[in-house]
């Protein structure tokens, strides 16, 4: 009998409810639910039940906001939220992230999104990178994939908030409408729920005089310029915390009942001799003395929006008004706005000046991200210091290239500047910022042009975006070499290793030019091969792009599969004996930049007619053999190191200059002998 009971118990555990729960991801993300309603609403959401009790909602991120990943490909995340607006579970349904081709695994993605369970969708969530720096309390970003982590986090939170609003769990305005505690007038001012500004007579008179106008008629005589013209007060009265305390509970509740969801109440008060309403509005229905401005857009105020107030909690005010902006106006209560007070000339209303009172709801009352910034803009604001450092470095590099002749005439300064910049590129740009440009970026850009192109896909990495923008300009002005010679961390590492090898007196290998000319074709074949593969499969192209050791060495710092680490170490070892061997023969990124390099509009590297005919000094000393046997500099191979320009101005190295110097010395010696200063022999 007991065996029958065991069998029945097992069947109860696995049939049918347990089997459905374990096998259906839509139920897995909301533990405890045993059934789901059919999708309904906009966006489509499935309500989850246990029996007849509603537990929450389950939805697909792609159906809410057409979410895309870092590579611009579709990203679909299954998310569950309960009725307390907590995330109950997250599962990735579809992703095409390139990081899976660079040492990270699907398990890394699953572990990351799993951290969101139990999080309130209204709260901001910071991501912590592997070095402990907060980049977006307490989720651990995927190691070596902070940008992908940000994209996943933004997709989860933004779509969860959108669904919470659509099903009525969260205010559609994105602000806290219902929280309330009794506050007095001074409390409203102290907490920033009501803001104010005093405008004095003197500042208005001065502003009008600059426009050729006057504030008061001459008959009034002199008015004390320090006296108050108006104290202007303003508040967003839609939330109960402000509206009920300022207007009174009954009036605020009556206002909410009379207006549709999304309508916004703006309260304005004034004290002093100047009326912010004026009198003309009674004739034409327009409040010419007031403007509401948000994000560069003006919201005109008219009599139909106006409600006069007299008995509010605001003391000793000359006048008050409540203006209602309808939901269709597009006004965003979660974003800052401004009340502009217009003061016109006493006799000519066309002469007017404006004074601004900024208004912003305190962040405590904003649900989710206070300013609803897109993820790329949030990344830029968080990395402002890194951006400032990079922009400063690029400005210094540009200045040096513009005045390259000045530096080329001073070999000692050139050696110091070049060494310092290469160290900066390797240590800060590569080691700290991991801002290594890659052929992956080129392939991603080319793929985006074929499909749905959007700038946000590239703006999400500010340092990479700035570098590519600079490289694009540099290609036109100087060619490929500015990036390869100055801004590539892996190139800098090869050159610095070469310098160390020379100090250690290791042997160097010079490739015969005829062989060099043929070997450099390899990188173009690699580039074209990757481009061809990317047309069919970006995932496979990302995998093959590991021909670049950049990710292994610079981004992952050798925390990669053994075969990739061995490959990278082999290239670096060969670089000790053959200068910049990877740049010259294998780099697909260098090949992609070399193709448009001939489009450069200026040839600022100086040459003489003797170059390639009587003299081959620069060809011998060029670190990448970019100088042809004819003496011409190949624009697709030059790394713009300025080594040849050092030779060009050195009359101890350049044979034409040596010959010229010797002739000058001979003429001077002959002149001295003619003057009898030197005895003839």
């Amino acid at each position: 009998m007991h065996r029958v009971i065991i069998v029945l118990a097992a069947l109860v555990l696995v049939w049918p409810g347990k089997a459905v729960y374990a096998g259906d991801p839509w139920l897995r993300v909301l533990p405890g639910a045993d059934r789901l309603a059919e999708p309904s609403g906009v966006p489509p959401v499935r309500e989850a039940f246990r029996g007849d009790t509603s537990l929450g909602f389950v939805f697909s991120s792609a159906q809410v906001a057409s979410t895309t990943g870092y590579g611009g490909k579709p990203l679909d995340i299954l998310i569950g939220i309960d009725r307390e607006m907590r995330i109950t579970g997250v599962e990735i349904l579809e992703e095409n992230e390139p990081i899976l081709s660079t040492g990270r695994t699907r398990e890394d993605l699953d572990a990351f999104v799993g951290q969101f369970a139990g999080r309130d969708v209204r709260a901001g969530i910071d991501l912590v990178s592997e070095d402990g720096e907060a980049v977006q309390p307490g989720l651990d970003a995927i190691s070596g994939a902070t940008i992908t982590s940000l994209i996943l986090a933004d997709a989860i939170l933004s779509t969860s908030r959108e669904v919470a609003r659509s099903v009525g769990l969260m205010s559609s305005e994105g602000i806290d409408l219902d929280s309330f505690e009794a506050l007095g007038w001074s409390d409203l001012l102290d907490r920033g729920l009501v803001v104010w500004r005093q405008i004095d007579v003197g500042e208005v008179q001065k502003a009008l005089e600059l426009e050729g106008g006057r504030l008061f008629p001459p008959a009034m005589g002199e008015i004390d310029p320090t006296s108050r013209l108006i104290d202007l007060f303003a508040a967003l009265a839609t939330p109960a915390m402000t509206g009920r305390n300022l207007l009174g509970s009954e009036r605020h509740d009556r206002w909410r009942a009379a207006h549709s969801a999304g309508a916004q109440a703006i309260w304005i008060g004034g004290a002093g001799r100047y009326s912010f309403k004026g009198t003309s509005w009674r004739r034409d229905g327009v409040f010419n003395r007031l403007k509401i401005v948000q994000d560069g857009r003006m919201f005109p105020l008219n009599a139909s929006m106006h409600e006069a107030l007299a008995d509010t909690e605001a003391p000793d005010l000359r006048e008050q008004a409540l203006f209602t902006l309808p939901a269709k106006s597009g006004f965003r209560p979660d974003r800052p706005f401004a009340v502009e007070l217009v003061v016109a000339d006493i006799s000519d209303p066309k002469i007017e000046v404006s004074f601004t009172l900024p208004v912003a709801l305190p962040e405590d009352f904003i649900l989710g991200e206070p300013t609803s910034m897109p993820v790329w803009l949030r990344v830029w604001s968080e990395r402002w210091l890194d951006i400032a450092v990079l922009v400063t470095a690029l400005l210094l590099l540009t200045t040096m290239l513009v005045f390259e002749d000045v530096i080329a005439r001073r070999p000692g300064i050139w050696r110091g500047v070049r060494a310092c910049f290469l160290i900066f590129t390797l240590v800060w740009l590569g080691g700290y910022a991991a801002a290594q440009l890659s052929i992956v970026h080129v392939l991603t850009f080319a793929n985006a042009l074929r499909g749905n192109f959007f700038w946000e896909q590239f703006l999400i990495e500010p340092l990479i975006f700035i570098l590519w923008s600079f490289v694009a300009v540099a290609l036109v002005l100087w060619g490929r070499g500015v990036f390869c010679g100055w801004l590539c961390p892996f190139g800098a590492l090869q050159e610095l290793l070469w310098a160390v090898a020379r100090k250690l007196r290791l042997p160097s290998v010079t490739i015969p030019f005829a062989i060099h000319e043929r070997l450099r074709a390899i990188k173009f074949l690699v580039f074209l091969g990757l481009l061809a593969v990317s047309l069919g499969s970006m995932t496979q192209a990302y995998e093959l792009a590991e021909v670049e050791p950049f990710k292994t060495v610079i981004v992952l710092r050798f925390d990669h599969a053994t075969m990739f680490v061995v490959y990278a170490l082999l290239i670096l070892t060969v670089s000790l004996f053959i200068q910049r061997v990877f740049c010259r023969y294998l780099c697909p990124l260098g090949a992609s930049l070399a193709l448009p390099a001939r489009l450069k509009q200026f040839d600022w590297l100086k040459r003489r007619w003797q170059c390639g005919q009587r003299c081959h000094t620069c060809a011998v000393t060029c670190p990448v053999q970019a100088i042809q046997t004819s003496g011409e500099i190949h624009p697709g191979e030059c790394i713009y190191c300025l080594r040849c320009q050092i030779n060009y101005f050195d009359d101890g190295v350049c044979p034409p200059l040596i010959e010229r110097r010797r002739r000058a010395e001979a003429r001077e010696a002959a002149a001295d002998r003619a003057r009898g200063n030197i005895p003839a022999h």
Side-chain angles (χ1 to χ4, degrees):
M1 183 65 180
H2 69 282
R3 292 179 180 176
V4 175
I5 294 175
I6 292 174
V7 171
L8 291 175
L11 289 173
V12 168
L13 289 174
V14 301
W15 180 272
K18 190 68 176 179
V20 172
Y21 172 75
D24 187 350
W26 287 77
L27 284 170
R28 283 202 302 267
V29 297
L30 213 160
D34 54 24
R35 68 182 179 89
L36 295 171
E38 291 300 313
S40 62
V42 179
V45 176
R46 301 182 70 179
E47 190 169 4
F49 294 88
R50 179 167 55 205
D52 295 328
T53 303
S54 173
L55 299 184
F57 303 89
V58 180
F59 56 92
S60 154
S61 68
Q63 294 179 348
V64 174
S66 299
T67 46
T68 56
Y70 176 44
K73 296 293 185 180
L75 174 67
D76 194 5
I77 307 172
L78 192 62
I79 305 168
I81 60 173
D82 62 19
R83 289 193 163 273
E84 301 299 321
M85 286 186 283
R86 290 190 302 267
I87 297 173
T88 57
V90 180
E91 287 196 19
I92 298 176
L93 295 180
E94 180 184 1
E95 53 78 23
N96 298 274
E97 293 304 284
I99 65 162
L100 300 187
S101 305
T102 57
R104 303 285 75 86
T105 65
R106 176 59 184 265
E107 287 71 25
D108 294 326
L109 297 182
D110 292 337
F112 172 73
V113 300
Q115 299 177 85
F116 283 84
R119 303 278 176 169
D120 193 317
V121 303
R122 295 166 292 187
I125 296 179
D126 293 331
L127 300 183
V128 179
S129 62
E130 54 191 317
D131 57 4
E133 180 185 359
V135 294
Q136 181 1 44
L139 295 182
D140 294 326
I142 304 169
S143 176
T146 301
I147 298 300
T148 293
S149 303
L150 280 168
I151 291 174
L152 290 170
D154 184 71
I156 293 169
L157 292 177
S158 62
T159 55
S160 296
R161 291 167 186 154
E162 181 66 24
V163 167
R165 294 186 185 103
S166 72
V167 298
L169 298 179
M170 183 174 173
S171 164
S172 60
E173 288 94 334
I175 60 175
D176 184 352
L177 293 174
D178 302 315
S179 297
F180 176 77
E181 63 177 292
L183 298 176
W185 174 248
S186 60
D187 296 323
L188 292 171
L189 291 171
D190 290 342
R191 295 184 61 169
L193 293 166
V194 176
V195 296
W196 74 285
R197 173 185 176 179
Q198 179 174 310
I199 302 173
D200 295 331
V201 168
E203 62 179 308
V204 179
Q205 283 181 329
K206 185 176 181 180
L208 280 172
E209 287 171 2
L210 291 175
E211 300 296 327
R214 290 182 60 88
L215 179 59
F216 300 112
M220 291 188 64
E222 290 295 326
I223 306 295
D224 181 3
T226 63
S227 63
R228 178 185 66 180
L229 182 68
I230 184 174
D231 283 341
L232 186 65
F233 297 83
L236 179 68
T238 315
M241 188 70 76
T242 305
R244 297 186 70 187
N245 282 306
L246 187 60
L247 309 177
S249 297
E250 182 179 349
R251 178 182 281 137
H252 185 260
D253 292 345
R254 189 167 62 247
W255 179 90
R256 291 187 64 170
H259 296 89
S260 61
Q264 303 301 324
I266 297 178
W267 172 87
I268 299 176
R273 68 170 74 212
Y274 189 75
S275 168
F276 64 77
K277 292 185 184 180
T279 57
S280 64
W281 70 274
R282 298 183 183 276
R283 297 189 304 271
D284 54 27
V286 178
F287 288 87
N288 293 318
R289 294 188 176 186
L290 282 178
K291 298 177 183 177
I292 304 297
V293 180
Q294 184 181 66
D295 296 333
R297 179 184 174 191
M298 188 180 73
F299 297 84
L301 302 176
N302 57 53
S304 65
M305 304 175 175
H306 170 251
E307 179 183 348
L309 302 174
D311 53 343
T312 68
E313 294 298 317
D316 303 325
L317 297 185
R318 170 182 173 175
E319 57 185 352
Q320 302 177 54
L322 188 69
F323 294 96
T324 300
L325 298 182
K328 64 181 180 181
S329 69
F331 180 84
R332 289 280 302 276
D334 58 338
R335 295 188 62 80
F337 65 97
V339 176
E340 287 193 5
L341 179 70
V342 178
V343 182
D345 176 82
I346 189 65
S347 58
D348 186 357
K350 294 181 180 179
I351 300 176
E352 59 181 35
V353 291
S354 298
F355 299 87
T356 300
L357 174 62
V359 187
L361 193 65
E363 291 188 2
D364 294 348
F365 296 89
I366 298 175
L367 305 177
E369 295 296 330
T371 58
S372 300
M373 285 194 298
V375 63
W376 71 266
L377 189 57
R378 197 159 65 243
V379 173
W380 281 66
S381 64
E382 290 166 354
R383 301 197 66 180
W384 67 268
L385 182 58
D386 292 345
I387 293 170
V389 171
L390 177 59
V391 170
T392 301
L394 295 179
L395 288 175
L396 290 174
L397 177 58
T398 302
T399 302
M400 185 194 69
L401 294 176
V402 170
F403 298 100
E404 61 186 43
D405 290 355
V406 176
I407 294 178
R409 294 176 186 273
R410 297 164 175 80
I413 294 178
W414 170 79
R415 282 190 289 268
V417 168
R418 181 150 181 82
C420 289
F421 208 95
L422 289 177
I423 291 172
F424 165 81
T425 296
L426 175 62
V427 176
W428 189 89
L429 196 60
Y432 164 76
Q436 169 73 66
L437 301 190
S438 166
I439 191 62
V440 169
H441 300 124
V442 177
L443 299 178
T444 301
F445 185 78
N447 185 64
L449 292 176
R450 297 169 53 224
N452 296 322
F453 181 88
F454 56 99
W455 280 110
E456 290 81 356
Q457 178 182 347
F458 304 98
L459 287 167
I460 201 165
E461 288 189 293
L463 301 188
I464 297 295
F465 182 84
I466 293 171
L467 276 173
W468 271 117
S469 300
F470 181 82
V471 169
V473 175
L475 276 172
V476 176
L477 299 179
W478 294 285
R480 159 208 176 187
V482 174
F483 167 72
C484 297
W486 296 90
L487 295 170
C488 177
F490 191 77
L493 176 59
Q494 290 180 91
E495 187 161 332
L496 292 171
L497 286 175
W498 169 265
V500 171
R502 302 292 69 74
K503 293 291 185 182
L504 297 176
R505 300 183 182 277
L506 296 179
S508 61
V509 177
T510 300
I511 306 295
F513 191 81
I515 298 177
H516 161 75
E517 276 284 270
R518 287 155 178 80
L519 289 178
R520 72 182 187 86
I522 297 174
K523 62 176 177 283
F524 293 96
L525 297 177
V526 174
F527 166 64
L528 294 174
L530 289 173
L531 183 61
V533 171
S534 71
L535 297 177
S537 170
M538 283 298 296
T539 300
Q540 190 174 0
Y542 288 143
E543 293 172 352
L544 294 176
E546 287 288 353
V547 69
E548 290 180 331
F550 305 163
K551 180 74 74 171
T552 300
V553 177
I554 303 299
V555 179
L556 298 179
R557 302 173 190 175
F558 295 100
D559 181 19
H560 207 351
T562 303
M563 62 179 292
F564 297 118
V565 173
V566 171
Y567 169 67
L569 290 175
L570 178 62
I571 289 175
L572 293 176
T573 301
V574 176
S575 297
L576 295 171
F577 307 97
I578 303 176
Q579 192 166 5
R580 283 184 174 254
V581 64
F582 182 79
C583 304
R584 295 160 71 179
Y585 306 126
L586 293 175
C587 182
L589 177 61
S592 70
L593 296 177
L595 291 175
R598 291 185 180 274
L599 298 177
K600 70 172 184 172
Q601 298 300 301
F602 305 96
D603 287 319
W604 284 325
L605 296 180
K606 295 178 173 59
R607 308 296 287 155
R608 292 188 172 88
W609 68 267
Q610 295 95 334
C611 297
Q613 297 184 36
R614 297 183 179 181
C615 176
H616 299 279
T617 301
C618 293
V620 172
T621 58
C622 178
V624 291
Q625 293 179 273
I627 299 178
Q628 308 295 292
T629 54
S630 63
E632 295 179 356
I633 299 174
H634 195 301
E637 297 299 312
C638 175
I639 62 171
Y640 223 89
C641 66
L642 302 181
R643 173 74 262 183
C644 60
Q645 300 304 285
I646 298 295
N647 296 339
Y648 182 89
F649 290 108
D650 192 339
D651 62 4
V653 174
C654 181
L657 289 186
I658 294 173
E659 183 179 349
R660 185 184 305 172
R661 174 173 54 80
R662 288 175 177 173
R663 285 200 303 266
E665 291 172 349
R667 286 194 299 269
E668 185 177 349
D672 286 340
R673 285 195 298 272
R675 291 191 296 267
N677 295 333
I678 299 176
H681 295 284

